[in-house]
Amino acid sequence: MKKDIIIAGVGGQGIVSIAAIIGYAAVEAGLFLKQSEVHGMSQRGGEVSSHFRLSDKEVASDLIPQGKADIIISVEPMEALRYLPMLAPGGWVITNSKPFINIPNYPDIDLILGEIENLPNHLAFDADNVAKELRATKSANIVLLGAASPFLDIDYVKLENAIRLIFGRKGEAVVNVNLDALKKGRDYAETYQLTASI
Amino acid sequence: MKRLLLLGDEAIAQGAIDAGLSGAYAYPGTPSTEILEYIQHSKYAKENKIHSTWSANEKTAMEAALGMSYAGKRALVCMKHVGLNVAADPFINSAITGANGGVIVASADDPSMHSSQNEQDSRFYGKFAMVPVLEPSSQQEAYDMMHYGYDISEKYQVPVLLRITTRLAHSRAGVVVREVKKQNEMELPKDSIQYVLLPSNARKRYKILLGIQPSLETESENSAYNKYFEGSDKSLGIIVSGIAYNYLMENKNENNFSFPVLKIGQYPLPLKMLEKIAGECDEILVIEEGYPMIEESLTGLLGKGLKVRGRFDGTILRYGELNPNIVASALGIKEFKPMQVPDLVVSRPPALCGGCPHIDSFKALNEALDGLSSGRSFSDIGCYTLGALPPYESINSCVDMGASITMAKGAADAGLVPSVAVIGDSTFTHSGMTALLDAVNDKSPITVLILDNETTGMTGGQFSPANGKIEFICKGLGVDERHIRVIEPLKKNHNDNVRIMKEELNYNGVSVIIPRRECVVTLAQKTKEKRKAAASK
Ligand SMILES: Cc1ncc(C[n+]2csc(CCOP(=O)(O)OP(=O)(O)O)c2C)c(N)n1
Ligand code: SF4
């Protein structure tokens, strides 16, 4: 088993939390992992990404080689496209369709979504909106993790446990909201897969 | 067997704690910041009174660590690569005094300059100081090297340099940890003048340092961190160091090759191992993260004899961080054609946060300078350096910490009047105070803006050693009290702030303006914590 995952977004969008949750779940599953993330200057509203490598064998490189990522999980649609060179043939892109516009020259969002539509394996939806419906505006990242969860080869329960562990000190309400967010994302992906396979 | 999931930085911290650390000293700097932060959050460290508060700069950190070593205890100093420039004086001299309790200096390099002004390679400092250098390839090695590093530091009575690069610092993996060692008891040096570097004693000490060099090399030769992997295909021999080893292995797993490989993790370089690989292979490829340091020592000045490939001959790009693809192409592995980034994707440069106090300071400064010729604002390093970019374009320099005030002074000396310096609070106490003293003593016509957001913002909001002290420091250094102006950078105060800046720009001497308002990020964190504390009552 081997999964190479790129987690992408803009500084402050909760990339590190997604990585931390998968990390804890992977450790619980007894898998080897390496996960590199961006700290420093770019966190100030710049583009950030995390390379996440899971395997049942020892992982060598901390960085995923180009063209080897099985999944790109992106909290922002343009950021999903930025890492396409990392994607393996047949790899999946799971992305938020809601843009985060903090630059004056942000491209036409319809063109961005059009590029994503053209990818063979993609799942794009407004995760901000799903989070808003749950009254958990800050949990769009967890919704996306939920949507990516069927592709991860990690027990769903282990992801839930990781959320309990990581958000536990913030209180039960925060834990539950994030468990709901995870579930909503998961449901979305499963419905989509069902319709796609028909 | 206890296994922890740790960043490279955290593995260093945990390794130090477990190896019997008594004190860690550091000034924040990406990618080294998380080392000290981890120790600050460690319950064990708190219970066992391991020192872990921030120092004013890297030099004070290095010297405090040397003091702890003098007293016989184990000390750690952490910094980013350019911090070692600041700490260079005590660092180089600490090799001459030698160590009593073990000392490890952890310096984190930033190839590709993700968050830095340059990509200097700390290993040169180790060579320069003639101390052992350790360069881990993994989080586990980083952890283990702390134990080993303190042991050799005490065995040879010499500080040890641990060099990492961004990718290892900020990459997480499982680390198996060991039993915690007890801290050393206090024990002063046996030789009461060991640390007195008067020429007569310094000459003696230097000979001692030169004298241990052969043993340090033998130590490298036998080290578990320098490994020779035999290979049957001798058309090429690969020398690889630090994290580059992982990129090599990634390629080896995919494309089996059987070249001999020499993995370097400890310096001085193991000469016998180098002789072996050079002797049995037709050609050598050197893969190292950073400057071509091993490569240069192999080729020498004339490069006669040995056929060496690497960063000098263009096999590997001369600059920048390595990755598995760069290593693949150096090995001649056929490049895979990846998907392209669609043309419409634009870059997203970092920017000041919405509501950042620096925004109001720059808006006021731009208006106050309106009418004067441009190019007179010297600045420094911090979040406010982003004021160089549109829409502000308020500053004209960023060189090294503290350089704003001194450069403004020099430019004023040259006739650029008024000259402006823009510096952050933490940067001011790091390296701006002596600069201000020079300006005061010379009565230089400069206006210094000390942007006081009450934190060290750029690196994540650490405690700022300047907190609550800035006006008093300026006054103490001799700035005329009437020309120390504290303002609040808010939109509603814009006109007043512009007026005050103009007044001080017109003053023919040293004036200091302190725009004071807390960083919105740390403010939000504090408010959240307060609310949580109130809720739990
Ligand atoms: C010698 C050196 N040490 C550390 C750093 C890393 N560094 C860059 S900016 C900065 C913080 C500056 O804080 P402050 O001056 O208060 O400005 P702010 O970011 O809060 O606006 C640090 C620690 C560096 N570039 N050089
Ligand atoms: S972190 Fe603080 S100082 Fe830095 S840009 Fe954001 S608000 Fe400004």
Side-chain angles (χ1 to χ4, degrees):
Chain A
M1 179 266 179
K2 175 216 95 152
K3 284 282 173 222
D4 285 334
I5 309 160
I6 298 277
I7 309 169
V10 180
Q13 280 194 314
I15 312 301
V16 177
S17 301
I18 299 182
I21 294 166
I22 307 178
Y24 275 108
V27 168
E28 203 198 327
L31 294 168
F32 289 98
L33 69 90
K34 276 194 177 167
Q35 180 240 323
S36 75
E37 57 199 35
V38 175
H39 295 206
M41 195 107 174
S42 322
Q43 277 177 304
R44 227 53 61 268
E47 56 217 44
V48 293
S49 67
S50 167
H51 287 221
F52 206 112
R53 315 198 70 190
L54 283 175
S55 174
D56 48 13
K57 292 188 208 66
E58 196 90 51
V59 178
S61 167
D62 302 69
L63 292 172
I64 302 170
Q66 280 193 346
K68 295 281 173 174
D70 302 291
I71 312 164
I72 294 176
I73 305 175
S74 183
V75 193
E76 209 283 339
M78 180 172 76
E79 296 308 318
L81 297 176
R82 195 185 301 285
Y83 302 96
L84 285 184
M86 304 304 295
L87 195 64
W92 275 83
V93 173
I94 317 263
T95 181
N96 200 350
S97 59
K98 175 82 181 204
F100 183 86
I101 303 178
N102 64 345
I103 44 171
N105 56 337
Y106 193 95
D108 182 347
I109 181 64
D110 290 332
L111 296 179
I112 297 263
L113 296 178
E115 289 282 352
I116 294 170
E117 270 317 305
N118 286 337
L119 299 170
N121 301 317
H122 68 273
L123 197 59
F125 65 101
D126 189 339
D128 281 31
N129 197 35
V130 176
K132 202 148 84 202
E133 280 169 12
L134 291 169
R135 291 167 188 262
T137 44
K138 282 193 200 137
S139 300
N141 58 338
I142 309 298
V143 173
L144 284 157
L145 173 59
S149 63
F151 303 90
L152 292 179
D153 273 358
I154 293 183
D155 259 357
Y156 185 72
V157 180
K158 295 207 166 72
L159 293 172
E160 290 184 320
N161 290 345
I163 286 184
R164 287 195 189 93
L165 203 94
I166 289 169
F167 293 109
R169 55 185 186 90
K170 294 189 178 168
E172 201 166 337
V174 177
V175 169
N176 288 334
V177 143
N178 282 297
L179 288 175
D180 288 348
L182 188 75
K183 181 77 175 49
K184 270 278 189 290
R186 173 86 174 191
D187 289 348
Y188 185 89
E190 281 175 346
T191 330
Y192 177 88
Q193 274 185 320
L194 267 175
T195 46
S197 60
I198 290 168
Chain B
M1 192 175 80
K2 204 165 124 199
R3 213 183 161 91
L4 303 175
L5 190 57
L6 298 176
L7 290 177
D9 275 350
E10 296 171 344
I12 292 171
Q14 186 68 49
I17 293 172
D18 293 350
L21 180 73
S22 294
Y25 298 87
Y27 182 74
T30 315
S32 70
T33 311
E34 293 79 6
I35 306 174
L36 194 74
E37 286 184 334
Y38 185 90
I39 299 174
Q40 289 175 338
H41 295 135
S42 153
K43 216 173 114 208
Y44 178 88
K46 206 170 279 145
E47 285 166 4
N48 291 276
K49 302 200 166 60
I50 297 178
H51 176 278
S52 66
T53 51
W54 293 109
S55 304
N57 67 34
E58 293 85 354
K59 179 175 183 286
T60 65
M62 178 72 221
E63 290 156 352
L66 197 58
M68 179 154 281
S69 162
Y70 175 96
K73 302 203 176 185
R74 291 188 162 184
L76 172 66
V77 199
C78 329
M79 59 193 70
K80 70 182 291 165
H81 58 346
V82 289
L84 197 45
N85 297 335
V86 177
D89 200 4
F91 176 68
I92 304 289
N93 285 311
S94 72
I96 314 285
T97 63
N100 186 26
V103 181
I104 296 183
V105 180
S107 178
D109 295 353
D110 189 18
S112 281
M113 307 179 222
H114 298 284
S115 304
S116 306
Q117 313 104 286
N118 72 32
E119 56 176 38
Q120 67 184 64
D121 187 326
S122 296
R123 292 175 300 168
F124 283 93
Y125 268 113
K127 192 173 174 180
F128 186 20
M130 290 185 273
V131 301
V133 178
L134 300 173
E135 190 187 9
S137 67
S138 67
Q139 296 76 359
Q140 184 70 56
E141 275 190 356
Y143 176 86
D144 294 335
M145 279 178 174
M146 296 308 288
H147 294 260
Y148 173 71
Y150 281 116
D151 290 346
I152 57 170
S153 174
E154 285 173 6
K155 180 172 171 192
Y156 298 101
Q157 298 256 296
V158 69
V160 169
L161 180 69
L162 180 93
R163 183 248 187 176
I164 54 166
T165 54
T166 304
R167 218 36 83 169
L168 184 61
H170 291 162
S171 167
R172 225 178 280 276
V175 173
V176 178
V177 298
R178 310 182 194 175
E179 292 269 312
V180 186
K181 259 197 204 138
K182 268 196 16 214
Q183 293 182 32
N184 290 351
E185 295 297 329
M186 185 153 86
E187 194 186 345
L188 303 192
K190 285 183 195 72
D191 173 6
S192 68
I193 61 161
Q194 180 186 333
Y195 286 76
V196 184
L197 295 187
L198 271 171
S200 57
N201 193 47
R203 279 180 215 117
K204 244 189 269 163
R205 295 294 320 170
Y206 185 44
K207 278 185 200 145
I208 292 176
L209 178 63
L210 292 173
I212 63 169
Q213 295 304 310
S215 316
L216 295 183
E217 201 198 304
T218 310
E219 193 75 41
S220 282
E221 215 75 67
N222 301 325
S223 165
Y225 303 112
N226 291 330
K227 273 197 207 122
Y228 202 99
F229 300 93
E230 304 285 347
S232 53
D233 184 351
K234 313 243 192 278
S235 62
L236 184 72
I238 302 172
I239 301 176
V240 61
S241 80
I243 197 165
Y245 175 72
N246 301 350
Y247 305 147
L248 180 69
M249 284 302 115
E250 183 75 22
N251 281 292
K252 193 171 159 75
N253 294 343
E254 299 263 313
N255 312 269
N256 219 355
F257 49 77
S258 48
F259 307 122
V261 172
L262 172 56
K263 171 180 180 278
I264 300 288
Q266 181 172 345
Y267 308 74
L269 287 167
L271 209 57
K272 290 200 188 92
M273 287 174 149
L274 292 176
E275 271 167 359
K276 176 173 157 121
I277 199 160
E280 69 177 12
C281 299
D282 302 340
E283 228 179 31
I284 299 288
L285 170 65
V286 186
I287 312 174
E288 50 193 325
E289 181 96 296
Y291 289 6
M293 174 173 150
I294 300 175
E295 195 180 334
E296 191 177 23
S297 22
L298 288 183
T299 53
L301 209 49
L302 301 179
K304 283 194 176 151
L306 215 52
K307 240 177 119 181
V308 180
R309 286 166 35 204
R311 291 209 193 243
F312 281 127
D313 75 342
T315 302
I316 298 172
L317 211 58
R318 184 65 173 77
Y319 53 85
E321 189 184 12
L322 298 174
N323 63 39
N325 298 88
I326 292 175
V327 172
S329 85
L331 289 165
I333 294 168
K334 250 220 153 76
E335 286 228 32
F336 159 91
K337 260 235 157 332
M339 283 172 84
Q340 295 297 308
V341 182
D343 289 339
L344 56 92
V345 173
V346 291
S347 81
R348 206 189 283 263
L352 293 171
C353 307
C356 172
H358 298 336
I359 294 176
D360 295 296
S361 297
F362 285 133
K363 282 185 176 161
L365 179 64
N366 282 357
E367 199 172 317
L369 285 170
D370 202 24
L372 290 167
S373 61
S374 61
R376 55 181 77 238
S377 296
F378 300 88
S379 193
D380 236 294
I381 310 183
C383 286
Y384 53 91
T385 312
L386 296 169
L389 307 176
Y392 317 104
E393 301 180 82
S394 309
I395 57 169
N396 309 104
S397 77
C398 157
V399 181
D400 67 278
M401 292 188 81
S404 57
I405 301 179
T406 18
M407 282 183 72
K409 182 202 180 311
D413 290 347
L416 187 67
V417 179
S419 286
V420 180
V422 181
I423 186 169
D425 52 320
S426 184
T427 305
F428 176 65
T429 46
H430 179 290
S431 287
M433 299 187 291
T434 44
L436 190 59
L437 182 61
D438 276 352
V440 166
N441 286 342
D442 251 5
K443 299 188 177 57
S444 306
I446 64 170
T447 300
V448 181
L449 265 69
I450 305 178
L451 306 184
D452 186 9
N453 58 358
E454 300 174 2
T455 190
T456 313
M458 179 91 266
T459 42
Q462 293 76 18
F463 165 79
S464 168
N467 252 1
K469 301 188 175 69
I470 299 175
E471 302 84 303
F472 308 104
I473 293 170
C474 295
K475 207 173 128 188
L477 289 171
V479 180
D480 182 342
E481 221 174 325
R482 287 165 300 178
H483 294 283
I484 302 175
R485 317 280 296 263
V486 180
I487 62 175
E488 193 182 16
L490 276 174
K491 213 188 213 152
K492 64 169 189 190
N493 301 333
H494 178 77
N495 290 340
D496 284 339
N497 292 347
V498 173
R499 178 182 48 78
I500 291 169
M501 285 182 190
K502 278 190 172 158
E503 282 169 16
E504 296 311 328
L505 285 168
N506 282 329
Y507 169 62
N508 190 26
V510 178
S511 54
V512 173
I513 300 171
I514 307 169
R516 174 170 295 142
R517 176 158 73 81
E518 186 170 356
C519 157
V520 295
V521 174
T522 55
L523 186 67
Q525 278 162 359
K526 278 188 204 155
T527 322
K528 217 157 114 190
E529 276 159 28
K530 262 190 213 143
R531 221 182 283 142
K532 218 173 72 189
S536 66
K537 255 183 208 156

